[in-house]
Amino acid sequence: MSEHNHHDATLWGASTTCVHAGVAPDPVHGAIMTPIFQTSTYVQPAPGQPISYDYSRGGNPTREALEGSLAGIEGAKHAISFGSGLAAVQAVVQLARPGDHVLVCDDVYGGTGRLFRRLYADYGIEFEFKDLAGTQDEIKAAIKPNTRFVWIESPTNPLLKVLDIEMIADVAHQAGAKLIVDNTFASPIFQSPLKLGADIVMHSLTKYIGGHSDIIGGALMLNDDELEEKLRFIQFAAGAVNAPLDCFLLLRSIKTLAIRMEAHQRNAFKVAEALQSMEQFNEVIYPGLSKHPQYDIAKKQMSGFSGMVSVRLNGDFQQVTRFMQSLKVFSLAESLGGVESLANHPETMTHASVPPALREQLGISANLVRLSVGIENAQDLIDDLKQAASFALKS
Ligand SMILES: Cc1ncc(COP(=O)(O)O)c(C=O)c1O
């Protein structure tokens, strides 16, 4: 990766970093975009003496350029790119051993919880889900002598709780545990967990970084050389790499990440403010609203509030269904972070795998709708939500 990192990206603003960090023109032809090295293997001049790569599970120039770019945008020394967000999560879990305890924030993406509960709990790793939006003492109390990792999202999915990354990193480190932050919702543009003390940052590249709802991918970013070597070995040994074409598409996506994020957050703010004053919505959750319970923490650790807004419709499941089906600009779909606005119903869609009792305790109720606010015209989005809510709730 180092040969691509010949710029000092630490001195750049975010939009310059997105366009230039980690990438360089192709040294053979000068192609400004990194070519798609669609190859599984590489010819070697002598046995066991590859030129620079031997096999694409272990390394590929397009993936390496992507990793340089990902490291640049997250301000990390290393980035490792995976075939999906969950493949990146899984690589971290493979660092744990039977008997280890992993403390997880209670409001995590349903698929992350499913991976922990339904797959890795059977391997003797103990996953404990707790509300980590509490005080330092509460978090200290949740840590056990065998806590190896603390796993958090901030903002969380789907309730957009904001967790104090710096404080949790301190508590974890005092106990000898490592903190991993899923930074998918904030994106590298609005939050830098490594600078707040996190040991590893994880992203679903499928979301804001990909940004166009056309690829599945994941990444880990970190500064620690030893940890990087272990994770790279896990990836090489277990094989969860992404394809060269997907790496190329991601490289292309990252060029516009900073300007897309500005548009997402501008629109999300307008949508959140507009819905707040409508009687059809009981609650509007957005970290950028001053009434958000962790607004002060959000302001402290985020440079923007991103594009996710969760709302509770003042109606029952049938009315919520009618609302979602009546949207014309928003699409009813899982996922988030693409240029197009999406509406998701966590209870029956992304978080259907959360145990029902926990779902109820968290407040993932039938009337909760998670909006991924896209980059369309803000007024068109507000008008769409208004017409669908009025139609769904008319008696
Ligand atoms: C916050 C968060 N983390 C991780 C994932 C998993 O990523 P992927 O779907 O790319 O495997 C998702 C997917 O929805 C997510 O929203």
Side-chain angles (χ1 to χ4, degrees):
M1 201 184 302
S2 53
E3 73 259 32
H4 294 287
N5 260 338
H6 57 209
H7 303 297
D8 189 358
T10 55
L11 300 175
W12 285 339
S15 49
T16 312
T17 305
C18 286
V19 176
H20 294 291
V23 293
D26 154 47
V28 181
H29 301 292
I32 195 153
M33 277 305 290
T34 305
I36 306 165
F37 284 92
Q38 192 72 43
T39 190
S40 59
T41 194
Y42 305 82
V43 175
Q44 304 188 15
Q49 290 176 32
I51 298 166
S52 42
Y53 303 92
D54 53 12
Y55 188 61
S56 278
R57 176 162 28 76
N60 176 282
T62 317
R63 192 163 86 240
E64 195 173 301
L66 171 62
E67 289 174 340
S69 173
L70 289 169
I73 59 173
E74 194 61 62
K77 189 167 177 197
H78 307 290
I80 311 175
S81 167
F82 289 82
S84 71
L86 284 177
V89 179
Q90 166 162 324
V92 177
V93 179
Q94 284 170 344
L95 294 168
R97 291 290 169 266
D100 284 344
H101 173 251
V102 182
L103 180 62
V104 187
C105 69
D106 54 3
D107 189 37
V108 274
Y109 165 56
T112 302
R114 180 176 54 215
L115 178 74
F116 293 167
R117 288 187 186 93
R118 305 260 315 265
L119 273 177
Y120 280 95
D122 288 346
Y123 289 75
I125 301 163
E126 186 195 349
F127 296 93
E128 195 173 3
F129 296 77
K130 285 251 162 103
D131 180 3
L132 301 182
T135 64
Q136 188 162 1
D137 286 344
E138 283 167 340
I139 292 163
K140 263 188 193 153
I143 301 237
K144 295 182 172 181
N146 59 338
T147 303
R148 181 89 184 267
F149 298 112
V150 179
W151 185 285
I152 66 168
E153 290 176 10
S154 187
T156 62
N157 181 2
L159 292 165
L160 307 175
K161 290 190 212 176
V162 175
L163 309 190
D164 190 334
I165 297 173
E166 197 166 18
M167 182 266 278
I168 297 174
D170 272 353
V171 175
H173 293 160
Q174 278 166 31
K178 293 203 185 305
L179 175 68
I180 297 99
V181 178
D182 180 336
N183 203 25
T184 301
F185 270 37
S187 92
I189 302 304
F190 292 138
Q191 184 168 271
S192 305
L194 295 175
K195 295 195 179 76
L196 298 167
D199 299 282
I200 305 176
V201 164
M202 177 261 150
H203 278 281
S204 167
L205 302 177
T206 315
K207 308 299 176 343
Y208 285 115
I209 294 177
H212 297 72
S213 307
D214 53 7
I215 53 117
I216 300 283
L220 299 175
M221 290 84 149
L222 66 165
N223 292 326
D224 184 306
D225 296 341
E226 211 182 301
L227 206 49
E228 190 245 0
E229 202 177 309
K230 285 185 183 159
L231 288 164
R232 234 175 237 295
F233 176 75
I234 288 170
Q235 182 183 51
F236 172 64
V241 296
N242 39 9
L245 175 61
D246 286 6
C247 295
F248 171 83
L249 288 170
L250 284 158
L251 277 166
R252 178 176 168 145
S253 294
I254 290 168
K255 308 271 181 208
T256 57
L257 180 64
I259 57 168
R260 280 189 283 112
M261 291 316 299
E262 290 299 336
H264 282 294
Q265 89 147 346
R266 203 166 46 238
N267 281 355
F269 202 82
K270 287 183 184 166
V271 164
E273 285 207 309
L275 300 195
Q276 256 197 136
S277 59
M278 288 174 61
E279 61 185 10
Q280 287 98 338
F281 296 95
N282 286 340
E283 192 184 1
V284 177
I285 311 170
Y286 181 60
L289 295 176
S290 56
K291 62 160 201 198
H292 186 286
Q294 295 98 30
Y295 177 64
D296 289 341
I297 302 171
K299 262 198 322 193
K300 183 182 78 166
Q301 71 185 17
M302 303 176 79
S303 57
F305 304 106
S306 208
M308 299 301 295
V309 180
S310 288
V311 294
R312 291 187 202 280
L313 200 73
N314 192 1
D316 59 20
F317 179 58
Q318 265 167 353
Q319 289 167 311
V320 169
T321 302
R322 194 146 28 121
F323 165 70
M324 299 184 83
Q325 289 174 335
S326 312
L327 291 164
K328 294 184 169 68
V329 183
F330 279 80
S331 298
L332 200 181
E334 304 210 359
S335 204
L336 62 115
V339 290
E340 58 286 280
S341 292
L342 302 179
N344 163 66
H345 188 246
E347 187 193 42
T348 56
M349 296 165 65
T350 46
H351 293 71
S353 64
V354 176
L358 177 60
R359 231 171 25 221
E360 196 178 324
Q361 183 198 322
L362 286 171
I364 302 177
S365 51
N367 68 347
L368 181 76
V369 177
R370 190 193 73 186
L371 303 172
S372 172
V373 180
I375 66 165
E376 302 95 332
N377 176 280
Q379 196 55 49
D380 291 340
L381 298 177
I382 293 166
D383 291 348
D384 191 36
L385 293 162
K386 278 188 177 166
Q387 66 76 23
S390 303
F391 176 74
L393 297 175
K394 76 170 180 249
S395 42

